[in-house]
Structure formats: C-alpha cells, structure tokens
C-alpha cells in the first residue's frame, strides 16, 4: 500500500439531478478518490452508499471533512456544510483550469449555469429558469426520441449538416423532431439541430450577463464531447477549455471547501 | 378565534372553499413568523391582525358601513387615499397575494397573466375574501395592461371606477393627474353623499402624512447596523397598513418604532453581526406573499428594505397640505403621487436612482430584483436596473417567481449562491 499523507482530507459530494459525483482530495489538494454514480431515487441512500464505499478504501486513519453541493446537497446527512453548486463549480473550475479569471458554462441535467469568476471568486452568475431548454434534460428527451443515448447523439451530430429546430421549448422541439423524422431527415442532421439548439440557448442566456476576460470553461456532463465544445467555441467566438475531470468540477470545488473548513 | 362564520355567510362568501384557505394560513404564519427569535414585542399587534385577518378588520368595516360609510377597494398606490378619507370614506387594499386564488383567476384570464392579477380576480369571483366582498366600489387604474383588462372583468361583478394614470412624467402629465384626482373626488362625493371641503381634505392629508411618517420611522430603524427588526416583520407591518385604519396604523407603527429605536440604543439586533443585508426591489408583495423574504432570511441574509409599492414607495414623500383651495390641494396630491417610480412609466430613471440611493441609505450589501412571472414591465426593466447597479459596484441578483412553491428550491439555490458570493467578496 502506498503511503498516505497525514492530515485532513476534503471530500466533495455533488448530488446532481442525474449523477452523483464525489472527489476526495488529500492535504495537498491532490485527488485521491473519484466516484460517479447515478443519483437514483433517493439522494440520502446514494450519499450513504458513497460514504460507505469511501470508508472501505480510506478508513479511520484519514480525517475526512465533507461538503455537499448540487441540488441534493441537503440530503447528505453527514456533511459538515452545504454549499451551492454555483460556488463549488466556480472553485472547482479555478482548481482544474489553473486560472483565477474565467467563465464557467455548466450544462447540467436540469439546469444550465453560467458563472463569471473574477480573481478566484464568483462575481456574477445565471441559472436558467424552470424550462429545460439548453440543459441535459433537453438532450436526453431528444436522444430518446431518436432512439439514441445522449452520447451517441452528440457524436453523431458532428457528421450532420445544417438543420433547424426553431422552438427552444422542449415540448415543441420534440414535436419538431418527430416531424423531421416523419419527413425522412437523416438522423445525423437532426442530431446536428439538437446540439445547435442547446448551444444557441446557452449563447442567448449568456447575453444576460457580462462575461469576464478569462477563458470559457465547459464543466458538467457534456465536457466529454469535442463536438459540443467546438460548437460552443464557434457560438461564443472564443476558446472553450475543458478537461476530463470537468464533470467533477462541482465535487472538486466542494472538496476544496471541505479542506478549507479545517483552516 | 371569534366566530365570524355568520358574518362571512352574510357577505355571500363560499364558506366551504374559504375553510380550506383558513386551514393553510395559520401554518404559513407559523412557519414564516413564529420561527423567528427575538422579535420586537410590538409585533403583537400585527400577529393578532394576521391571525384573524378575515375577522377583525372586516367586522370593523361592516360596523362602519352600518353607519352609512362607504368602503373603497384599491389595487394600486396611485389611488389617493386622502380624497376618500376627506369624504369620510374608508380605503382598503385589495391585492391578492396567495396561490389559493390563482386557479379561480385562471378560469377567466389567460394563463400568462401575472399571479397578482389572477389572484385578485380569483379572490373576487371565488367569493373567498371578505375584503373583496365588503368593498362598495373598486377603484382601478391604468397602470399595466393586465390590470386594465382585468378591471373590465371585475367590473361585470362589482361597481368599478377607473383612474387614468399618465404613462410619462412631463409637466402636462402632472396637470392631467391633478384633473383625474379632481374627477375622482367628484365621484367619491357622489358615492359617499358627502361634500369635500378644503378643511376636510387638509385634515385627510395630515392623517395620511402622519401614517407615512410613522412607517418611515420603522424603516429608518432598519438603516441601522444594529438591525432591530427582520424583513419579514417589517413586510407584514407594511402589508397590513394597506387594510388598517390610517390613524391606528400610525399609532401602531410609532409604537413599534419606539421599541426599535430603543433596541438600537441597547444594541439588540435580530441577526448576528456580519449578516448580509439585502435590498429587495421589484413587483409588490401582496399579503400573504412572504415567499422571498422567507427564503432570503433562512439563507443567511436579511432584508433591510423593500423598494416597491409594499415598501418605500408607499410612504416616501409627503403631500404638501399648505394650500387653501381644493384645486391647489389636488395639485399637491398629484405632485406627491407622481413621484412614484412605477415601471409603468417611460422613461423611468427615477426608480434606478431610488434603488441606488436606498441601497446606500440602508447599507445593503446586495440587491435582489424580483418580478412576478408575466409582469413584462418589471421584467424588462431588470436589465437597466442591473446595469446601473453594476456600474455602482453593487451586486445584484435578478429573479422571477410566482405564488407557487414549486420553484422554492431553485430560488433558494440562487439566493444562497448570491449570499455566498457576497460573503466571499
Ligand atoms: S407597482 Fe405600479 S401598478 Fe403596482 S401598485 Fe405599484 S404603482 Fe401601482
Ligand atoms: S406585477 Fe406587473 S403585471 Fe402584475 S399587476 Fe403589477 S404591474 Fe401589472
């Protein structure tokens, strides 16, 4: 067994609407444990399961501090503190991208967040409203209609050609997609239109705040799809950074907060 | 609780449905108000009024009606109470602030109408609010499109008088509003059967000014670093003041202000030092709408001021009652009322100036600008409000909500994140 740093460890648990992400960092801020699982029907159960799995690898010998975030943050009974996903994503992005000034785009399961970070702290943010346009939920519904997984849709979209879904509302857009299918439009073209719709919606929302000078950073579940990143880049006219750990951004931020609790 | 069932029955209310409303209100009051610690003792008056909100004051109004007095129901702070009071009439606010009434409103109004309008119409047509039953006449006004058209619907069920509020603030608009007030005065004389005199109008101006001064004293106490009262309690005071007798209202507000000023001297604050102070601006919060205050004040912050009609706009600026003719007094009223910076005016720079001034006076750490869903006026104005505040270096959070509880979680996340942001900066 490798030697472990003595001291405080920070555990960040990000209970999102679809996935629960957990990261544990050691006293130096290095990630030593990552976990991704479906949130399932009970956030409390999921949180308990995460903690028991974590304890199997890291027992009493490491002193763990917990910060919970995400929409299910209040359902983590053993959390030392709850902090919103806005603050956690911002902090996580600062850690992951090594920039103090940046703009976070997080396309989550139920909502999309835009966060402007200035000198390491949130200076402005926006969350989309009750509507699911421009969120992972929208993508999921459309993928379902096309009998694909969201991942397949995002990959296929890259090979499609320009096609329009004019409505941003999930319900109406779904009928439009069904119409396109009926007309025999190629699947990749419809996939193109779906991704285009999400990107346009995010771009429109961003018009409501003043983006800061730093780079745009894509966090959340869509960070794994180069095509989505490309489209965002084109829509915003600037570089979009992402990283394989970006879907853990909220959990990283929470873990860092947990570590800071000990200071 | 005294037995008001007979009274409600005589008012032609739908008792069964009203029972349901009576069941939810006490829980709401308990959750929002009684969970607070260290409340000012003088809040006992408003606690009592709200606990029997459909009993105590309605019973008083009915007693006065028996003596021949008339009750005027109003929906907007543009309607000059002074004119009604001078003719020995009684004013009562009528805005609906509960989701309970919204479905009733939706039966006759498009879904995309603001909840305040839907609830107000629902409260009347559903016959579940005694105030809406008691009022002899409703006084509407041409502020927003939704209200204008809703008044046409209400007008089929109850006598309705509409005042034409100017949409701009040029000198000729002040004259126009003065003329509207004069016309309204004639109508009030007709309805009450009483003639207005200079003396009576001056007296009414004095009464309402005293009420404004008393409310301002309470609000002034909220400017202190030692915060003697929560936003929730202050809001309740303001909301009830729309329904109460103006002289008793002034007395009770002064009594509360006495206690608050003493608390400041004694260093008694309702929140720990360093709690983030929020100025709330936007659409009015009609009773029993306490949703935002409740979320903000259970998210580590506190509301120190409301720049809205259920807030500073209700009591700021006094009427100059020194003139000696009715015509001049009407002009003095017009001048005071036209200082209200409702979003129905264009352009409306005064509101932004007010928000910035109040944010400084009340030492707010941040501003939350919240409008009711489907209120285009306030929603569109958010952008210029946000830009002006950012230019001043004052953090701002823009929100939209309705009377439902379903968005409480999303609102809480935004508000907590805003408070975290204020704490870190
Ligand atoms: S917000 Fe405008 S319309 Fe509503 S009460 Fe105030 S002044 Fe009247
Ligand atoms: S909130 Fe807006 S839409 Fe609703 S009554 Fe007031 S001004 Fe009209």
């Amino acid at each position: 067994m490798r030697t472990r740093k003595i001291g405080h460890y920070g555990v960040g648990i990000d209970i999102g609407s679809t996935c629960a992400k957990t990261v544990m960092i050691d006293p130096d801020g290095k990630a030593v444990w990552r976990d991704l699982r479906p949130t399932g029907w009970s956030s409390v159960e999921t949180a308990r399961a995460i903690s028991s799995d974590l304890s199997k690898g890291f027992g009493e010998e490491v002193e763990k501090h917990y910060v919970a975030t995400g929409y299910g943050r209040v359902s983590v009974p053993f959390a030392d503190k709850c902090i919103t996903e806005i603050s956690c994503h911002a902090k996580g992005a600062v850690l992951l991208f090594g920039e103090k000034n940046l703009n976070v785009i997080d396309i989550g399961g139920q909502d999309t967040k835009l966060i402007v970070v200035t000198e390491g702290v949130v200076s402005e943010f926006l969350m989309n409203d009750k509507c699911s346009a421009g969120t992972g939920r929208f993508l999921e519904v459309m993928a379902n209609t096309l009998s694909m997984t969201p991942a397949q849709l995002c990959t296929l979209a890259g090979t499609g050609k320009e096609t329009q879904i004019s409505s941003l509302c999930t319900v109406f857009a779904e009928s439009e997609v069904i119409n396109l299918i009926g007309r025999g439009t190629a699947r990749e073209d419809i996939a193109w239109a779906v991704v285009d719709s999400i990107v346009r919606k995010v771009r429109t929302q961003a018009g409501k705040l003043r983006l800061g000078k730093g780079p745009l950073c894509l966090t959340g579940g869509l960070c794994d799809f180069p095509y989505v990143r490309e489209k965002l880049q084109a829509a915003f006219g600037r570089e979009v950074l992402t990283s394989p750990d970006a879907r853990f951004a909220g959990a990283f931020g929470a873990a860092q907060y947990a570590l800071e609790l000990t200071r | 609780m005294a037995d008001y069932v007979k009274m409600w029955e005589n008012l032609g209310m739908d008792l069964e449905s009203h029972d349901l409303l009576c069941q939810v209100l006490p829980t709401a009051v308990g959750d929002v108000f009684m969970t607070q610690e260290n409340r000012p003792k003088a809040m006992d008056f408003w606690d009592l009024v709200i606990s029997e909100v459909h009993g105590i004051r309605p019973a008083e109004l009915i007693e006065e009606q028996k003596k021949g007095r008339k009750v005027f129901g109003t929906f907007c702070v543009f309607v000059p109470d002074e004119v009604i009071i001078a003719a020995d009439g009684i004013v009562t606010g009528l805005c609906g602030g509960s989701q309970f009434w919204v479905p009733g409103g939706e039966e006759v109004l498009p879904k995309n109408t603001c909840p305040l309008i839907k609830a107000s119409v629902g409260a009347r047509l559903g016959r579940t609010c005694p105030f809406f039953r008691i009022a002899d006449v409703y006084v509407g006004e041409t502020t927003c499109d939704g209200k204008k058209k809703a008044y046409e619907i209400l007008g089929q069920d109850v006598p309705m008088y509409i005042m034409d509020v100017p949409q701009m603030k040029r000198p000729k608009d002040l004259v126009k509003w003065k003329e509207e007030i004069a016309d309204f005065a004639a109508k009030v004389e007709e309805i009450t059967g009483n003639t207005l005199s200079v003396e009576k109008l001056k007296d009414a101006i004095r009464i309402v000014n005293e009420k404004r001064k008393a409310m301002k004293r309470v609000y002034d106490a909220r400017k202190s670093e030692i915060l003697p009262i929560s936003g929730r309690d202050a809001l309740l005071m303001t909301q009830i003041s729309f329904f109460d007798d103006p002289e008793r209202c002034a007395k009770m507000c002064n009594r509360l202000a006495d206690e608050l000023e003493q608390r400041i001297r004694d260093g008694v604050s309702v929140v720990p030092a360093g709690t983030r102070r929020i100025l709330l601006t936007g659409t009015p919060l009609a009773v029993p709408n306490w949703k935002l205050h409740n979320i903000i004040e259970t998210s580590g912050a506190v509301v120190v001021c409301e720049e809205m009609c259920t807030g500073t706009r209700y009591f700021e600026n006094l009427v100059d009652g020194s003139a000696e003719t009715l015509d001049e007094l009407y002009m003095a009223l017009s001048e005071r009322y036209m200082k209200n910076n409702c979003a129905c005016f264009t352009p409306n720079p005064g509101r932004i100036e007010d928000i910035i001034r109040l944010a400084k006076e009340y030492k707010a750490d941040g501003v939350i600008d919240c409008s009711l869903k489907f209120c285009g006026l306030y929603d569109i104005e958010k952008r210029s409000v946000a830009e002006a505040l950012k230019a001043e270096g004052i953090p701002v959070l823009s929100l939209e909500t309705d009377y439902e509880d379903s968005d409480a979680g999303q609102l809480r996340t935004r508000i907590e994140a805003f408070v975290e942001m204020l704490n870190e900066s």
Side-chain angles (χ1 to χ4, degrees):
Chain A
M1 198 190 225
R2 67 201 156 81
T3 47
R4 275 189 191 141
K5 284 255 170 204
I6 317 254
H8 300 288
Y9 283 64
V11 183
I13 305 184
D14 176 4
I15 310 254
S17 56
T18 38
C19 288
K21 284 85 57 179
T22 310
V23 167
M24 178 157 93
I25 56 178
D26 72 10
D28 295 333
K30 217 175 104 271
V32 294
W33 200 74
R34 282 180 185 75
D35 179 80
L36 176 74
R37 64 181 79 197
T39 301
W41 56 274
S42 159
S43 310
V44 180
E45 286 305 313
T46 309
R48 286 233 168 79
I50 292 169
S51 138
S52 99
D53 287 356
L54 180 57
S55 299
K56 279 177 205 148
F58 299 82
E60 300 288 314
E61 75 283 1
V62 300
E63 198 179 322
K64 300 187 271 294
H65 304 273
Y66 296 87
V67 165
T69 186
Y71 107 111
R73 63 187 177 283
V74 289
S75 317
V76 183
F78 49 87
D80 298 296
K81 200 173 176 186
C82 294
I83 298 178
T84 64
E85 48 271 42
I86 303 286
S87 301
C88 289
H89 268 272
K91 197 171 210 65
V94 168
L95 283 174
L96 291 174
F97 299 99
E99 292 267 359
K100 284 194 156 210
N101 294 298
L102 47 77
N103 308 277
V104 180
I105 304 176
D106 173 66
I107 303 180
Q110 297 290 353
D111 56 39
T112 295
K113 299 178 263 293
L114 291 156
I115 312 167
V116 182
V117 183
T118 313
E119 290 309 315
V121 295
V122 178
S123 56
E124 210 177 321
F125 67 89
L126 197 75
M127 275 170 100
N128 78 342
D129 268 307
K130 285 181 188 174
C131 121
S132 60
T135 70
R137 176 85 195 121
F138 179 86
L139 177 63
E140 213 174 278
V141 171
M142 297 308 148
N144 251 328
T145 314
L146 291 166
S147 318
M148 288 186 245
T149 64
Q152 285 168 329
L153 188 150
C154 288
T155 316
L156 194 63
T159 65
K161 60 177 191 302
E162 189 169 339
T163 307
Q164 281 294 320
I165 302 178
S166 50
S167 179
L168 288 175
C169 161
T170 309
V171 180
F172 290 112
E174 197 181 359
S175 334
E176 281 189 57
V177 166
I178 292 169
N179 254 324
L180 288 173
I181 297 173
R183 268 190 273 149
T185 311
R187 279 168 100 205
E188 59 269 26
D189 296 349
I190 304 178
W192 190 98
V194 170
V195 173
D196 180 64
S197 162
I198 294 175
V199 169
R200 268 190 296 136
K201 175 79 187 180
V202 173
R203 182 71 193 94
T204 313
Q205 283 176 339
K208 291 216 168 130
L209 42 70
R210 240 187 284 162
L211 291 178
K213 46 184 171 345
L216 292 173
C217 302
L218 177 63
T219 65
L222 292 187
C223 66
D224 294 336
F225 306 110
Y227 178 65
V228 174
R229 192 184 135 219
E230 249 171 61
K231 289 285 287 186
L232 282 170
Q233 229 155 239
F236 281 89
R238 50 165 136 174
E239 206 191 351
V240 175
L241 305 178
T242 190
S243 103
D245 263 340
R247 63 167 9 181
F248 288 98
F252 264 98
Q256 182 63 29
Y257 273 117
L259 212 55
E260 286 172 11
L261 285 180
T262 65
R263 286 176 200 150
Chain B
M1 176 134 158
D3 188 16
Y4 295 113
V5 176
K6 193 84 208 127
M7 175 180 89
W8 294 330
E9 208 174 352
N10 291 339
L11 285 171
M13 289 173 61
D14 177 343
L15 292 182
E16 234 170 89
S17 189
H18 184 246
D19 265 357
L20 298 174
L21 179 59
C22 290
Q23 276 160 25
V24 292
L25 200 65
T27 328
V29 172
D31 290 350
V32 175
F33 294 96
M34 304 310 158
T35 49
Q36 304 179 93
E37 281 169 25
N38 200 13
R39 300 174 71 209
K41 284 203 184 54
M43 284 307 296
D44 57 0
F45 170 71
W46 289 279
D47 286 347
L48 175 70
V49 174
I50 195 66
S51 72
E52 299 199 7
V53 68
H54 281 183
I56 300 178
R57 183 64 181 153
E60 283 182 357
L61 292 176
I62 291 167
E63 280 312 306
E64 294 304 317
Q65 278 177 322
K66 283 183 192 154
K67 297 179 203 154
R69 295 179 74 190
K70 297 289 180 219
V71 177
F72 293 73
T74 64
F75 298 86
C76 172
V77 299
F78 261 96
V79 177
D81 293 358
E82 291 88 341
V83 173
I84 299 169
I85 294 168
D88 203 29
I90 305 175
V91 192
T92 184
L94 283 184
C95 288
S98 168
Q99 175 64 23
F100 183 84
W101 295 307
V102 169
E106 282 177 348
E107 283 178 23
V108 292
L109 291 164
K111 227 179 150 54
N112 60 352
T113 309
C114 104
L116 198 152
I117 297 174
K118 287 193 282 203
S120 300
V121 171
R124 170 72 201 185
L125 301 185
R127 296 181 288 119
T128 46
C129 174
F131 293 98
F132 278 82
R133 304 298 307 164
I134 289 170
D136 295 290
V137 55
Y138 288 8
V139 187
E141 75 311 311
T142 56
T143 42
C144 70
D145 288 355
K147 285 216 250 177
K148 277 190 285 203
K149 300 316 275 185
Y151 293 143
E152 293 174 14
I153 296 174
L154 286 172
Q156 295 168 1
D157 199 47
V158 58
M160 186 91 211
Y161 180 85
I162 306 285
M163 296 185 78
D164 188 6
V165 177
Q167 309 285 294
M168 291 177 76
K169 290 189 175 173
R170 300 158 301 186
K172 66 176 177 185
D173 294 310
L174 259 80
V175 174
K176 187 193 151 193
W177 186 237
K178 183 208 86 179
E179 284 162 8
E180 274 298 306
I181 294 174
D183 288 354
F184 178 56
K187 187 74 192 173
V188 171
E189 287 182 320
E190 182 194 315
I191 294 169
T192 57
N194 299 326
T195 317
L196 279 184
S197 68
V198 170
E199 264 341 287
K200 285 188 203 162
L201 187 54
K202 281 169 81 97
D203 204 40
I205 288 174
R206 186 191 51 75
I207 289 172
V208 182
N209 276 345
E210 287 308 315
K211 165 171 159 177
R212 293 190 181 111
K213 285 190 221 160
M215 292 180 72
K216 185 171 188 305
R217 266 186 76 201
V218 172
Y219 272 64
D220 280 346
R222 301 170 78 190
K223 294 176 181 169
S224 168
E225 304 270 13
I226 298 159
L227 190 66
I229 183 168
S230 70
R232 276 168 281 183
D233 282 339
L235 175 65
L236 181 63
M237 175 206 87
T238 305
Q239 288 172 332
I240 301 289
S241 63
F242 282 77
F243 297 85
D244 204 0
D245 170 73
E247 287 179 295
R248 177 174 54 203
C249 174
K251 207 169 126 210
M252 289 300 148
C253 292
N254 276 320
R255 172 171 166 259
L256 175 62
D258 288 341
E259 183 182 348
L260 300 184
E261 287 162 10
Q262 185 59 43
R263 281 185 155 209
I264 295 170
R265 285 191 289 273
D266 295 343
V268 178
S269 172
V270 290
V271 289
T275 302
R276 294 298 164 178
R277 301 165 64 96
I278 303 293
L279 177 135
L280 192 63
T281 180
T283 46
L285 299 168
V287 74
N289 182 4
W290 308 305
K291 182 174 165 179
L292 267 178
H293 277 63
N294 194 33
I295 297 178
I296 294 169
E297 299 199 331
T298 51
S299 295
V302 65
V303 181
V304 291
C305 179
E306 298 84 16
E307 188 285 316
M308 46 179 60
C309 287
T310 47
T312 52
R313 282 191 226 157
Y314 191 42
F315 62 79
E316 279 203 324
N317 305 309
L318 301 178
V319 176
D320 178 356
S322 61
E324 292 302 338
T325 66
L326 281 176
D327 198 61
E328 286 168 302
L329 288 171
Y330 293 152
M331 192 61 201
L333 286 167
S334 173
E335 278 164 359
R336 186 268 163 191
Y337 280 88
M338 286 291 280
K339 284 184 188 143
N340 181 327
N341 296 312
C342 173
C344 68
F345 288 98
T346 185
N348 193 27
R351 172 156 173 247
I352 291 175
E353 288 158 20
D354 283 346
I355 297 171
I356 292 171
R357 169 177 60 84
L358 293 167
K360 290 180 180 161
E361 282 179 14
Y362 286 81
K363 306 179 189 72
D365 297 300
V367 171
I368 295 182
D369 182 7
C370 185
S371 64
L372 285 168
K373 234 178 164 184
F374 307 120
C375 172
L377 294 173
Y378 280 88
D379 200 18
I380 294 171
E381 216 167 84
K382 272 181 197 153
R383 192 180 169 83
S384 28
V385 168
E387 276 172 3
L389 284 167
K390 279 176 212 166
E392 286 285 321
I394 303 170
V396 54
L397 175 69
S398 307
L399 297 174
E400 186 182 71
T401 186
D402 53 21
Y403 291 171
E404 284 182 67
D405 275 330
S406 57
D407 66 346
Q410 283 155 313
L411 283 177
R412 186 174 288 281
T413 297
R414 288 169 173 77
I415 290 168
E416 282 181 7
F418 186 61
V419 176
E420 286 166 4
M421 180 181 119
L422 297 177
N423 282 335
E424 287 204 22
S425 55

